Amino acid sequence: MDLRELLMMLVSQLPGRLPILIALAVGLVLVAQRGTLSPASRRAGLLGFTLLLLSNLLGMFGWPLLQMYVVNAAMSAAQAQMTFALLTVPLALLDAAGLVLLAIAIVRGAR
């Protein structure tokens, strides 16, 4: 797998990921500009949106790089599954933490 194939894998993800990335960036900007939020609510919202944005960007770049590594290493199916799990678990934890922080921001903002 060469660099051109890697770039094509990245570009092929854009139609599915771009709307999410835009929505997360808009949410981040809205929370940052909202002056009426309590500092704790704003901080939780900013951190939550940042974690979700980071998770999506890491996934967007991580999956193609990992696929390229698996193909070049000629791994067995079991090895490939374990390798992909090493990326899946941290990304899922980042997503979960981001969502919990957004929930905290909403609950604190409603007070």
Side-chain angles (χ1 to χ4, degrees), residues 90-111:
L91 290 178
L93 289 173
L94 278 176
D95 281 340
L99 291 172
V100 167
L101 286 166
L102 287 178
I104 290 169
I106 291 169
V107 169
R108 284 188 177 170
R111 289 185 199 177

Side-chain angles (χ1 to χ4, degrees), residues 52-99:
L52 289 170
L53 188 60
L54 177 65
S55 172
N56 274 277
L57 288 172
L58 286 174
M60 184 174 164
F61 290 101
W63 287 113
L65 289 171
L66 196 56
Q67 288 173 359
M68 189 172 86
Y69 173 74
V70 166
V71 168
N72 289 337
M75 292 183 174
S76 69
Q79 290 173 322
Q81 286 177 339
M82 284 302 295
T83 303
F84 287 125
L86 291 175
L87 182 62
T88 302
V89 172
L91 290 178
L93 289 173
L94 278 176
D95 281 340
L99 291 172

